[in-house]
Structure formats: C-alpha cells, structure tokens
Amino acid sequence: MTEPSTAMELSNVEVRFNATTLHFDCAIAAGGIVAVAGASGSGKSTLLHLVAGFEEPDRGEIRILGQNVGRLAPSERPVSMIFQDNNLFAHLDVATNVGLGIDPALRLTGNDRAKIEEALHRVGLEGFGRRLPPTLSGGERQRVALARALVRHRPLLLLDEPFAALDPGMRAGMRTLLSDLHAEEGNTILIITHHPDDVKALADSVLFLDRGRIIAHDTLSRFLERRDNAAIDRFLGNV
C-alpha cells in the first residue's frame, strides 16, 4: 500500500518503441525537488510524459498520491507540467495565458483574475498582464509558464528542461525563483536538466537514467559522491 508520504510511484512501467523498451521503477517522496538527469535519448521526457498522461505505458502502474491514474486524462491528474518552449499562445496576452491554467475555456471570475495577478506578482511579472508573449524575453516567458502552473495548485510539478534556452544569468535567476516558490508551495517537483549546476543548486535527490532505465535514485550528496558508473561520471565531469 502506498504511504501518504509518497508523491508518485512507477511500478514495472514499460514503454516499447520499435526495437527499444524503456523500463521505469521508482517511488518519489512527497515535498522534495527531484532532478531527472541522463544523456539525450535516455527516456527522461518519456518518464515525465507518462506521469502527466501524455503517453500511455504498455504495461505497469502509475500512482500519484496513492491513486492509480492509468485511466485519468492529463487534465484530471494532480499534475502541472512546464515545457522547454513554454507552450504559451502568442496571440493571447500574459494574463490570459495564465488564466488558461484555471479554466481552459477562460470562464474567469473576479476572484480568478485576482489569483492571476497574485501569481504574476509572485514570479516578478507584476504589470505584465497585457503584454504578448513575443514581446517578452525567454526568462520572462518561462516565468509566465510558472505562474500558470502556480494558479493550478497541483501537488506535483513537472518541468521538462525549462531553462534550456536561457543564458547562465537567467538560469541562476530561475533556479532561485523555483526554489523560493517550492518553499512556499511545499509541492513535489521533478525537473529534467542536462546541467550539473541545476542539480547541485536545486535538487534534494536525483533520478539518473541511462538507455531507458533508472540506474540511480540517490540523495543529492550520495549522487555527487558516486564514482561507480561511466555515464554518471560523464554527467558530473569526473572524467
């Protein structure tokens, strides 16, 4: 039986792609920030898409907060997801893009609009509500996506390389913002990254994938001390 302190479990989950089979087994404790790392093509995005419901496993069970979510559509799962390209609508202003997180049909009340303003304030974009996404910097667009996730108040937040297009200064600022918001929200975060600096600055623990398998699930300190796997050594720059 899943303990209340467990945010998510993947039990014997498999996804088959032609000659490749990805296999995931893990349990994620609630309330932490988990870095999901590994080389390109190792299955990181697939893992998050399975949890969010954008892909279906060929076998196995996915549980979120103790509930089997296999039959639930993405919108029904207690999950928010932020993609590398933000998924903002260029023709809709910032406030409307955030409002989609409350109601995709945009039937918004006065209270909802107050929540949108509060979310924009929390991510440092107060007064940006009327701006269009193409007028924003990359970091600002990611802040809008984060504000949209905040108004959903889902207990599990998934981020698929959200800092990939940002310069080092913007990356550092976004890491600080995400860490601060996590401290306020107390949610569980899984973040895909190719950067060891992101792992060191943000994560409590690390899921490391190699060729479609989870080969390490460690606390941050244990992961940084590892010297027993070539793929992990390459990621950490130990070779």
Side-chain angles (χ1 to χ4, degrees), residues 39-61:
S40 296
S42 58
K44 302 183 300 297
S45 291
T46 298
L47 189 153
L48 262 61
H49 289 176
L50 287 166
V51 176
F54 299 127
E55 293 191 38
E56 293 185 5
D58 291 294
R59 64 174 295 187
E61 184 176 275

Side-chain angles (χ1 to χ4, degrees), residues 75-91:
S75 62
E76 298 173 313
R77 300 188 183 198
V79 173
S80 288
M81 188 161 181
I82 298 176
F83 298 89
Q84 180 178 333
D85 60 1
N86 336 118
N87 273 18
L88 302 181
F89 289 94
H91 66 291

Side-chain angles (χ1 to χ4, degrees), residues 12-216:
N12 202 29
V13 170
E14 287 189 357
V15 184
R16 303 184 187 101
F17 299 107
N18 297 324
T20 303
T21 298
L22 310 184
H23 184 97
F24 303 122
D25 264 303
C26 65
I28 302 296
I33 300 180
V34 184
V36 182
S40 296
S42 58
K44 302 183 300 297
S45 291
T46 298
L47 189 153
L48 262 61
H49 289 176
L50 287 166
V51 176
F54 299 127
E55 293 191 38
E56 293 185 5
D58 291 294
R59 64 174 295 187
E61 184 176 275
I62 300 169
R63 302 182 72 85
I64 300 176
L65 301 177
Q67 179 185 15
N68 186 338
V69 297
R71 295 184 180 274
L72 298 183
S75 62
E76 298 173 313
R77 300 188 183 198
V79 173
S80 288
M81 188 161 181
I82 298 176
F83 298 89
Q84 180 178 333
D85 60 1
N86 336 118
N87 273 18
L88 302 181
F89 289 94
H91 66 291
L92 299 178
D93 66 26
V94 163
T96 304
N97 269 286
V98 175
L100 290 168
I102 298 174
D103 182 359
L106 292 173
R107 297 182 296 264
L108 302 174
T109 67
N111 187 47
D112 291 333
R113 297 188 187 282
K115 291 178 181 177
I116 292 168
E117 290 301 318
E118 171 64 16
L120 290 174
H121 173 73
R122 291 176 70 191
V123 301
L125 293 179
E126 189 172 11
F128 279 63
R130 305 290 289 182
R131 296 272 298 273
L132 292 174
T135 71
L136 306 179
S137 69
E140 287 167 346
R141 289 194 293 272
Q142 283 294 49
R143 286 170 180 256
V144 175
L146 189 53
R148 184 170 59 193
L150 284 174
V151 298
R152 288 167 58 82
H153 289 291
R154 301 295 172 90
L156 190 59
L157 176 61
L158 312 177
L159 301 102
D160 192 348
E161 295 192 71
F163 312 148
L166 305 183
D167 63 38
M170 286 185 176
R171 292 182 73 90
M174 284 297 295
R175 286 196 301 256
T176 299
L177 174 62
L178 186 61
S179 182
D180 289 346
L181 292 173
H182 173 257
E184 294 176 23
E185 292 283 308
N187 54 356
T188 305
I189 295 176
L190 273 70
I191 178 170
I192 293 176
T193 181
H194 285 282
H195 289 259
D197 287 347
D198 291 343
V199 175
K200 295 171 184 176
L202 278 172
D204 304 305
S205 61
V206 183
L207 281 179
F208 193 89
L209 278 63
D210 186 34
R211 291 175 288 184
R213 300 289 190 276
I214 297 170
I215 64 169

